[in-house]
Amino acid sequence: GENVEQHPSTLSVQEGDSAVIKCTYSDSASNYFPWYKQELGKRPQLIIDIRSNVGEKKDQRIAVTLNKTAKHFSLHITETQPEDSAVYFCAASFGGSQGNLIFGKGTKLSVKP
Amino acid sequence: GAGVSQSPSNKVTEKGKDVELRCDPISGHTALYWYRQSLGQGLEFLIYFQGNSAPDKSGLPSDRFSAERTGGSVSTLTIQRTQQEDSAVYLCASSRNRGAYEQYFGPGTRLTVT
């Protein structure tokens, strides 16, 4: 079946360093790739998303890159801050534009002051 | 505007009892999703509704789980004869349409089966 793999499962960085989380997907028809941030005890919230017609998207300290040929996409957080500490989930659409999202298993990011 | 709401926020029930969890999606959102999140784990897809179409029930873990969506708005997830392994946070999300659209999550219902 369709699958999204996310790595690493845990990531610890020093404040100010960069963090990179990578995901691969199996459905070549996937065309939408959102990233969600879930702080402890709170609901997941969208932080950035990318569609298959672009290779990179930036929003301040956050960027996402997409390689459709290799079927992988990555989240990059620069100048990390303690408030970036959370669980991050990637997702990919499957079943075309009328399908559903499959989520990765999450990455727990810890930013140490 | 109002986001996705869920009730109750917490539910403690005895093994074998039935429970109903409620989700109020964002007004105008045609797609509604239910997920289960066990402690420290990812988002397990359960079921989703799109407009008046038949729901996609492919993620329901057993026939003890069912859901309905009345009038294309409010949804109820029912778990019959609850088991301890059903303990988890149940998250509801809605989106403008199915597929390639942002999903807005509710705060979740924490279910504990004793």
Coordinates of all heavy atoms in Angstrom, one line a residue, chain B residues 34-82:
Chain B
W34 N -11.1 11.4 10.8 CA -10.9 10.9 12.2 C -9.5 10.2 12.2 O -9.2 9.4 11.3 CB -11.9 10.0 12.7 CG -13.2 10.6 13.1 CD1 -14.4 10.7 12.4 CD2 -13.5 11.2 14.4 NE1 -15.3 11.4 13.1 CE2 -14.8 11.7 14.3 CE3 -12.8 11.4 15.5 CZ2 -15.4 12.3 15.4 CZ3 -13.4 12.0 16.6 CH2 -14.7 12.5 16.6
Y35 N -8.7 10.5 13.2 CA -7.4 9.9 13.4 C -7.3 9.4 14.9 O -8.0 10.0 15.7 CB -6.2 10.9 13.1 CG -6.1 11.4 11.7 CD1 -6.8 12.6 11.4 CD2 -5.4 10.7 10.8 CE1 -6.7 13.0 10.1 CE2 -5.3 11.2 9.5 CZ -5.9 12.4 9.1 OH -5.8 12.8 7.9
R36 N -6.5 8.5 15.1 CA -6.2 8.0 16.4 C -4.7 8.2 16.7 O -3.9 7.9 15.8 CB -6.6 6.5 16.6 CG -6.2 6.0 18.0 CD -6.9 4.6 18.2 NE -6.3 3.6 17.4 CZ -6.7 2.3 17.5 NH1 -7.7 1.9 18.3 NH2 -6.1 1.4 16.7
Q37 N -4.3 8.7 17.8 CA -2.9 9.0 18.2 C -2.7 8.4 19.6 O -3.1 8.9 20.6 CB -2.6 10.5 18.2 CG -1.1 10.7 18.3 CD -0.8 12.2 18.1 OE1 -1.5 13.1 18.5 NE2 0.4 12.4 17.5
S38 N -2.0 7.2 19.6 CA -1.6 6.7 20.8 C -0.4 7.4 21.4 O 0.3 8.2 20.6 CB -1.2 5.2 20.6 OG -2.3 4.5 20.1
L39 N -0.1 7.3 22.7 CA 0.9 8.1 23.4 C 2.2 8.0 22.6 O 2.8 7.0 22.4 CB 1.1 7.6 24.8 CG 2.0 8.4 25.7 CD1 1.3 9.8 25.8 CD2 2.1 7.8 27.0
G40 N 2.7 9.2 22.2 CA 4.0 9.3 21.6 C 4.1 8.7 20.2 O 5.2 8.6 19.6
Q41 N 2.9 8.4 19.6 CA 2.9 7.8 18.3 C 2.4 8.8 17.2 O 2.1 9.9 17.5 CB 2.0 6.5 18.3 CG 2.5 5.5 19.3 CD 3.9 5.0 19.0 OE1 4.2 4.6 17.8 NE2 4.8 5.0 20.0
G42 N 2.4 8.3 16.0 CA 1.9 9.1 14.9 C 0.4 9.1 14.8 O -0.3 8.7 15.7
L43 N 0.0 9.6 13.6 CA -1.5 9.8 13.3 C -2.0 8.6 12.6 O -1.6 8.4 11.4 CB -1.7 11.1 12.6 CG -1.3 12.4 13.3 CD1 -1.2 13.5 12.3 CD2 -2.2 12.7 14.4
E44 N -2.8 7.8 13.2 CA -3.4 6.6 12.5 C -4.7 7.0 11.9 O -5.7 7.3 12.6 CB -3.6 5.5 13.5 CG -4.2 4.2 13.0 CD -4.5 3.2 14.0 OE1 -4.3 3.5 15.2 OE2 -5.0 2.1 13.7
F45 N -4.8 7.0 10.6 CA -6.1 7.3 9.9 C -7.1 6.3 10.2 O -6.9 5.1 10.2 CB -5.8 7.4 8.4 CG -7.1 7.3 7.6 CD1 -7.8 8.5 7.5 CD2 -7.4 6.2 6.9 CE1 -9.0 8.4 6.7 CE2 -8.6 6.2 6.1 CZ -9.4 7.3 6.0
L46 N -8.4 6.8 10.5 CA -9.5 5.9 10.8 C -10.5 5.9 9.7 O -10.9 4.9 9.1 CB -10.1 6.3 12.1 CG -9.3 6.1 13.4 CD1 -10.0 6.6 14.6 CD2 -8.8 4.7 13.6
I47 N -11.1 7.1 9.4 CA -12.2 7.2 8.5 C -12.3 8.6 8.0 O -11.8 9.5 8.7 CB -13.5 6.8 9.2 CG1 -14.7 6.7 8.2 CG2 -13.8 7.7 10.3 CD1 -16.0 6.1 8.8
Y48 N -12.8 8.8 6.7 CA -13.1 10.1 6.3 C -14.3 10.2 5.5 O -14.7 9.3 4.9 CB -11.9 10.8 5.7 CG -11.7 10.7 4.2 CD1 -12.2 11.6 3.3 CD2 -11.0 9.6 3.6 CE1 -12.1 11.5 1.9 CE2 -10.8 9.5 2.3 CZ -11.4 10.5 1.4 OH -11.2 10.4 0.1
F49 N -14.9 11.4 5.6 CA -16.2 11.7 4.9 C -15.9 12.9 3.9 O -15.2 13.8 4.2 CB -17.3 12.2 5.9 CG -17.6 11.2 6.9 CD1 -16.9 11.1 8.1 CD2 -18.7 10.3 6.8 CE1 -17.2 10.2 9.1 CE2 -19.0 9.4 7.7 CZ -18.3 9.3 8.9
Q50 N -16.5 12.8 2.8 CA -16.5 13.8 1.8 C -17.9 14.1 1.3 O -18.4 13.3 0.6 CB -15.5 13.5 0.6 CG -15.6 14.4 -0.6 CD -15.2 15.8 -0.2 OE1 -14.4 16.0 0.7 NE2 -15.8 16.8 -0.9
G51 N -18.4 15.2 1.7 CA -19.8 15.6 1.2 C -20.8 14.5 1.5 O -20.9 14.0 2.6
N52 N -21.5 14.2 0.4 CA -22.5 13.1 0.6 C -22.1 11.8 0.1 O -22.8 10.8 0.0 CB -23.8 13.5 -0.2 CG -24.4 14.8 0.4 OD1 -24.5 14.9 1.6 ND2 -24.9 15.7 -0.5
S53 N -20.8 11.7 -0.3 CA -20.2 10.4 -0.8 C -20.1 9.4 0.4 O -20.1 9.7 1.5 CB -18.9 10.6 -1.4 OG -18.9 11.6 -2.4
A54 N -20.1 8.1 0.0 CA -19.9 7.1 1.0 C -18.5 7.3 1.7 O -17.5 7.6 1.0 CB -19.9 5.7 0.3
P55 N -18.4 7.1 3.0 CA -17.2 7.4 3.7 C -16.1 6.3 3.4 O -16.5 5.2 3.0 CB -17.6 7.3 5.2 CG -18.8 6.5 5.2 CD -19.5 6.8 3.9
D56 N -14.9 6.7 3.5 CA -13.8 5.8 3.4 C -13.5 5.2 4.7 O -12.9 5.9 5.6 CB -12.6 6.5 2.8 CG -11.3 5.6 2.7 OD1 -11.3 4.5 3.2 OD2 -10.3 6.0 2.1
K57 N -13.9 4.0 5.0 CA -13.7 3.3 6.3 C -12.5 2.4 6.4 O -12.4 1.6 7.3 CB -15.0 2.5 6.6 CG -16.3 3.2 6.5 CD -17.4 2.2 6.7 CE -18.8 2.9 6.6 NZ -19.9 2.0 6.9
S58 N -11.6 2.6 5.4 CA -10.5 1.6 5.3 C -9.6 1.6 6.5 O -8.8 0.6 6.7 CB -9.7 1.9 4.0 OG -9.1 3.2 4.1
G59 N -9.6 2.6 7.3 CA -8.7 2.7 8.5 C -9.2 2.2 9.8 O -8.5 2.1 10.8
L60 N -10.5 1.9 9.8 CA -11.1 1.4 11.0 C -10.5 0.1 11.5 O -10.5 -0.8 10.7 CB -12.6 1.3 10.9 CG -13.4 2.6 10.6 CD1 -14.9 2.3 10.4 CD2 -13.2 3.6 11.8
P61 N -10.0 0.0 12.7 CA -9.3 -1.2 13.2 C -10.1 -2.4 13.4 O -9.6 -3.5 13.4 CB -8.6 -0.7 14.5 CG -9.5 0.4 15.0 CD -10.0 1.1 13.8
S62 N -11.4 -2.2 13.7 CA -12.3 -3.4 13.9 C -13.7 -2.9 13.7 O -14.0 -1.8 13.6 CB -12.1 -4.0 15.3 OG -12.7 -3.1 16.3
D63 N -14.6 -3.9 13.7 CA -16.1 -3.6 13.5 C -16.7 -3.0 14.8 O -17.9 -2.6 14.8 CB -16.9 -4.8 13.1 CG -16.8 -6.0 14.0 OD1 -16.2 -5.8 15.1 OD2 -17.2 -7.1 13.7
R64 N -15.9 -2.8 15.8 CA -16.4 -2.1 17.0 C -16.4 -0.6 16.8 O -17.0 0.1 17.5 CB -15.5 -2.5 18.2 CG -15.5 -3.9 18.7 CD -14.8 -4.1 20.0 NE -13.4 -3.8 19.9 CZ -12.8 -2.7 20.3 NH1 -13.5 -1.8 21.0 NH2 -11.5 -2.6 20.2
F65 N -15.7 -0.2 15.8 CA -15.6 1.2 15.4 C -16.5 1.6 14.3 O -16.6 0.9 13.3 CB -14.2 1.6 15.0 CG -13.1 1.6 16.1 CD1 -12.7 0.4 16.7 CD2 -12.6 2.8 16.6 CE1 -11.8 0.4 17.7 CE2 -11.7 2.8 17.6 CZ -11.2 1.6 18.2
S66 N -17.3 2.7 14.5 CA -18.1 3.2 13.4 C -18.2 4.7 13.5 O -17.9 5.3 14.6 CB -19.5 2.6 13.5 OG -20.2 2.9 14.7
A67 N -18.6 5.3 12.5 CA -18.7 6.8 12.5 C -19.8 7.2 11.5 O -20.1 6.5 10.6 CB -17.4 7.5 12.1
E68 N -20.4 8.3 11.9 CA -21.4 8.9 11.0 C -21.3 10.4 10.9 O -20.7 11.0 11.8 CB -22.8 8.5 11.4 CG -23.3 9.0 12.8 CD -24.7 8.6 13.1 OE1 -25.2 7.7 12.5 OE2 -25.3 9.3 13.9
R69 N -21.8 10.9 9.9 CA -21.7 12.4 9.7 C -23.1 12.8 9.3 O -23.6 12.5 8.2 CB -20.7 12.8 8.7 CG -20.5 14.3 8.7 CD -19.4 14.7 7.7 NE -19.2 16.1 7.7 CZ -18.5 16.8 6.8 NH1 -17.9 16.2 5.8 NH2 -18.3 18.1 7.0
T70 N -23.8 13.6 10.1 CA -25.2 14.0 9.8 C -25.2 15.3 9.1 O -24.5 16.3 9.6 CB -26.0 14.0 11.1 OG1 -25.3 14.9 12.1 CG2 -26.1 12.6 11.7
G71 N -26.0 15.4 8.1 CA -26.2 16.7 7.4 C -24.9 17.3 6.9 O -24.9 18.5 6.6
G72 N -23.9 16.5 6.6 CA -22.7 17.0 6.1 C -21.9 17.9 7.0 O -21.0 18.6 6.6
S73 N -22.2 17.8 8.3 CA -21.5 18.7 9.3 C -21.0 17.9 10.5 O -19.9 17.2 10.3 CB -22.5 19.8 9.8 OG -21.8 20.6 10.7
V74 N -21.7 17.8 11.6 CA -21.2 17.2 12.8 C -21.0 15.7 12.5 O -21.7 15.0 11.8 CB -22.2 17.4 13.9 CG1 -21.9 16.5 15.1 CG2 -22.3 18.8 14.3
S75 N -19.9 15.1 13.1 CA -19.6 13.7 13.0 C -19.5 13.1 14.4 O -19.1 13.8 15.4 CB -18.3 13.5 12.3 OG -18.0 12.1 12.2
T76 N -19.9 11.8 14.5 CA -19.8 11.1 15.8 C -19.0 9.8 15.5 O -19.4 9.1 14.6 CB -21.2 10.7 16.3 OG1 -21.9 11.9 16.5 CG2 -21.0 10.0 17.7
L77 N -18.0 9.6 16.3 CA -17.2 8.3 16.2 C -17.7 7.5 17.4 O -17.7 8.0 18.6 CB -15.7 8.6 16.3 CG -14.8 7.4 16.3 CD1 -14.8 6.6 15.0 CD2 -13.4 7.8 16.7
T78 N -18.1 6.3 17.1 CA -18.6 5.4 18.2 C -17.7 4.2 18.3 O -17.3 3.6 17.3 CB -20.1 4.9 17.9 OG1 -20.9 6.0 17.8 CG2 -20.6 4.0 19.0
I79 N -17.3 3.9 19.5 CA -16.6 2.7 19.8 C -17.4 1.8 20.7 O -17.8 2.2 21.8 CB -15.2 3.0 20.5 CG1 -14.5 4.1 19.7 CG2 -14.4 1.7 20.6 CD1 -13.2 4.6 20.4
Q80 N -17.7 0.6 20.3 CA -18.5 -0.3 21.1 C -17.6 -1.3 21.8 O -16.5 -1.6 21.4 CB -19.4 -1.1 20.1 CG -20.5 -0.2 19.4 CD -21.4 -1.0 18.5 OE1 -20.9 -1.8 17.7 NE2 -22.7 -0.9 18.6
R81 N -18.1 -1.7 23.0 CA -17.4 -2.7 23.8 C -15.9 -2.3 23.9 O -15.0 -3.1 23.5 CB -17.6 -4.1 23.2 CG -19.0 -4.5 23.0 CD -19.2 -5.8 22.4 NE -18.5 -6.0 21.1 CZ -18.9 -5.6 19.9 NH1 -20.1 -4.9 19.9 NH2 -18.3 -5.8 18.8
T82 N -15.6 -1.2 24.4 CA -14.3 -0.6 24.5 C -13.3 -1.6 25.1 O -13.6 -2.3 26.1 CB -14.2 0.7 25.2 OG1 -14.9 0.6 26.5 CG2 -14.9 1.8 24.4

